[in-house]
Amino acid sequence: MRKRTAIFISGRGSNMEALVRAAQRPDFPAEIALVLSNRPNAAGLKFAKSCGIATAVVDHKIYAGRNEFEAAMAHILAIHRIELICLAGFMRLLTASFVESWRGRMINIHPALLPQFKGLDTHARALAAGVSEHGCTVHFVVPEMDAGPIILQASVDILPGDTEASLSARVLAQEHRIYPLALAKLARGEV
Ligand code: GRF
């Protein structure tokens, strides 16, 4: 049975798109059963709908707090019988209790070679630090931000003349390559 997977997004959703396309292959071990966004106007929702994938908007702004917001998400995940979660540009921090309830079943993609450059603006920070290599990481989500066990990483060389835009584009291409590989490993029980 293919693992019923939800993808959480907040915006563009290009990683979600890469996961959806990979999961369209009949031999892929996960099925994208739900795309959930905390932003009603997230661009990625259109693509998910155009593929006939169930979508949900859980707008964090209308809830009294994080617990209520997460309870609403948990309810929708249960309705869709979700087994795995991929965070893909989901810009809300999750509580320790939500994270614990998905321990080993929720993964994230981060645009840096963790443990380097946790948090935001990773490409600008990598350029400013003068490192020669940069990249991306798929990791299990734990309560501490950008800190869980690493599943896969891909690195790119930083080239002379690189800008934040050129570097982020090169890293993004690697994100789109490794996120489906990592989800497949998780769904097959290989990690
Ligand atoms: C990606 O760079 C991802 O690594 C980071 O947020 C960005 C989301 O981009 N967590 P997209 O929405 O997948 O296009």
Side-chain angles (χ1 to χ4, degrees):
M1 277 293 272
R2 306 207 299 157
K3 294 277 184 197
R4 293 182 61 81
T5 302
I7 307 175
F8 285 15
I9 64 169
S10 295
R12 177 176 60 180
S14 70
N15 278 290
M16 177 270 296
E17 195 170 325
L19 291 169
V20 166
R21 290 193 195 285
Q24 282 167 345
R25 301 229 321 254
D27 58 342
F28 197 79
E31 167 190 359
I32 309 307
L34 176 69
V35 171
L36 182 152
S37 172
N38 67 304
R39 298 220 177 100
N41 54 1
L45 287 170
K46 272 202 193 106
F47 173 80
K49 283 181 194 158
S50 76
C51 296
I53 295 170
T55 59
V57 172
V58 184
D59 184 348
H60 60 279
K61 293 195 192 115
I62 71 168
Y63 294 91
R66 274 187 207 280
N67 291 332
E68 292 81 357
F69 168 61
E70 290 177 353
M73 292 201 295
H75 183 63
I76 291 170
L77 294 171
I79 289 171
H80 289 272
R81 306 189 317 280
I82 296 303
E83 300 168 283
L84 302 174
I85 298 176
C86 294
L87 305 182
F90 184 67
M91 301 304 284
R92 302 301 297 171
L93 290 176
L94 298 164
T95 64
S97 99
F98 186 89
V99 170
E100 289 298 349
S101 70
W102 286 91
R103 182 180 272 276
R105 299 182 297 148
M106 177 160 62
I107 61 178
N108 179 47
I109 184 135
H110 182 73
L113 293 172
L114 290 174
Q116 278 191 312
F117 308 119
K118 297 177 178 182
L120 298 174
D121 298 325
T122 55
H123 308 304
R125 285 159 57 212
L127 288 171
V131 291
S132 58
E133 271 199 328
H134 185 45
C136 51
T137 304
V138 181
H139 63 94
F140 283 106
V141 178
V142 296
E144 190 190 333
M145 188 187 68
D146 299 333
I150 290 171
I151 300 170
L152 281 177
Q153 290 188 306
S155 56
V156 303
D157 289 336
I158 295 193
L159 305 176
D162 252 339
T163 61
E164 207 180 326
S166 64
L167 182 57
S168 70
R170 217 156 57 247
V171 171
L172 192 64
Q174 294 303 313
E175 295 183 35
H176 296 166
R177 186 177 68 79
I178 68 168
Y179 210 175
L181 295 176
L183 173 58
K185 273 177 176 290
L186 175 66
R188 288 198 191 99
E190 292 169 4
V191 284

